[in-house]
Amino acid sequence: AQSVAQPEDQVNVAEGNPLTVKCTYSVSGNPYLFWYVQYPNRGLQFLLKYITGDNLVKGSYGFEAEFNKSQTSFHLKKPSALVSDSALYFCAVRGPYGNNRLAFGKGNQVVVIP
Amino acid sequence: NAGVTQTPKFQVLKTGQSMTLQCAQDMNHEYMSWYRQDPGMGLRLIHYSVGAGITDQGEVPNGYNVSRSTTEDFPLRLLSAAPSQTSVYFCASSQGVGAEAFFGQGTRLTVV
């Protein structure tokens, strides 16, 4: 079964500094990888995905993520963090076979300090 | 577009009561899922459906029932509510294995 690990519970970063949120995954076959963001008392919003092709994918709000097959990682990055980026971030993976189960990590709370 | 609509947004139940959480999508998506979100545990899959008439269990299906009679609707039934089912519930839909999921705004359920 597919699974995701997000090793850090909280990431603190100063405004203007680079932001990285880590994600590693486990799945049989080639993965479909996703990042979502959740603001307080809201549903999850899609940020970006990797299906195939270029290992660096760009998404909404200036976020990007790098797929690394050898390290089974899909880290989320933003060159310059904003206070408004403070939110809960989820990595998710889906396998290519059989059912359409989307497995989520536990989430990372990102706090951007002014 | 309405997207994915969940009702109600808030609900308080007494232990042993039953209720149905409603989920509807207007995007003609094949895949629909129910998750629960608990602090420190991320989102856990309860049940999912790959099309009308087809449902399957996720990670934490006990105490919940689903059916999918139409493409648009995917209700989640709590058969006999327990305090352990206090959580925030999210419905999601997507079209295809490589497609992103769209989420509803969630239902905050408290069982007392």
Side-chain angles (χ1 to χ4, degrees):
Chain A
Q2 53 266 42
S3 65
V4 168
Q6 294 182 246
E8 301 161 314
D9 290 336
Q10 183 164 314
V11 175
N12 295 327
V13 61
E15 187 176 24
N17 281 3
L19 170 62
T20 298
V21 188
K22 296 179 179 177
C23 169
T24 58
Y25 67 89
S26 173
V27 69
S28 296
N30 293 323
Y32 299 108
L33 293 156
F34 304 84
W35 275 101
Y36 291 86
V37 61
Q38 185 182 32
Y39 298 100
N41 301 313
R42 302 293 298 275
L44 276 71
Q45 298 177 29
F46 169 74
L47 278 180
L48 50 79
K49 67 181 179 183
Y50 171 82
I51 304 301
T52 186
D54 194 349
N55 290 343
L56 184 65
V57 294
K58 296 186 182 296
S60 307
Y61 313 120
F63 284 94
E64 58 189 29
E66 186 166 12
F67 171 63
N68 187 318
K69 188 172 184 177
S70 63
Q71 297 185 4
T72 61
S73 67
F74 189 55
H75 301 330
L76 181 70
K77 299 179 181 182
K78 186 171 184 180
S80 178
L82 302 173
V83 173
S84 57
D85 293 327
S86 298
L88 191 56
Y89 291 80
F90 289 97
C91 182
V93 67
R94 181 182 282 142
Y97 308 120
N99 63 63
N100 195 37
R101 295 188 183 200
L102 185 61
F104 283 84
K106 293 184 178 182
N108 281 119
Q109 184 67 50
V110 169
V111 177
V112 182
I113 303 163
Chain B
N1 272 345
V4 179
T5 302
Q6 288 183 237
T7 55
K9 291 185 178 178
F10 301 95
Q11 183 71 48
V12 178
L13 286 179
K14 293 182 179 179
T15 297
Q17 287 185 317
S18 63
M19 79 159 294
T20 299
L21 308 185
Q22 301 291 345
C23 176
Q25 53 96 2
D26 62 358
M27 296 171 283
N28 203 33
H29 286 169
E30 295 179 15
Y31 301 106
M32 296 187 74
S33 307
W34 276 103
Y35 294 87
R36 58 177 290 172
Q37 183 178 20
D38 301 292
M41 303 191 74
L43 274 76
R44 293 182 292 169
L45 182 65
I46 304 172
H47 285 286
Y48 66 100
S49 169
V50 298
I54 306 169
T55 63
D56 205 348
Q57 297 181 351
E59 300 174 65
V60 288
N62 292 340
Y64 307 95
N65 238 349
V66 292
S67 60
R68 184 105 179 263
S69 56
T70 67
T71 300
E72 295 78 19
D73 300 301
F74 191 43
L76 178 73
R77 298 181 186 84
L78 279 70
L79 309 173
S80 177
S84 61
Q85 294 179 303
T86 294
S87 188
V88 181
Y89 292 84
F90 287 100
C91 178
S93 73
S94 64
Q95 183 70 0
V97 176
E100 62 268 28
F102 291 79
F103 283 80
Q105 292 299 296
T107 296
R108 186 173 295 273
L109 176 69
T110 302
V111 183
V112 297

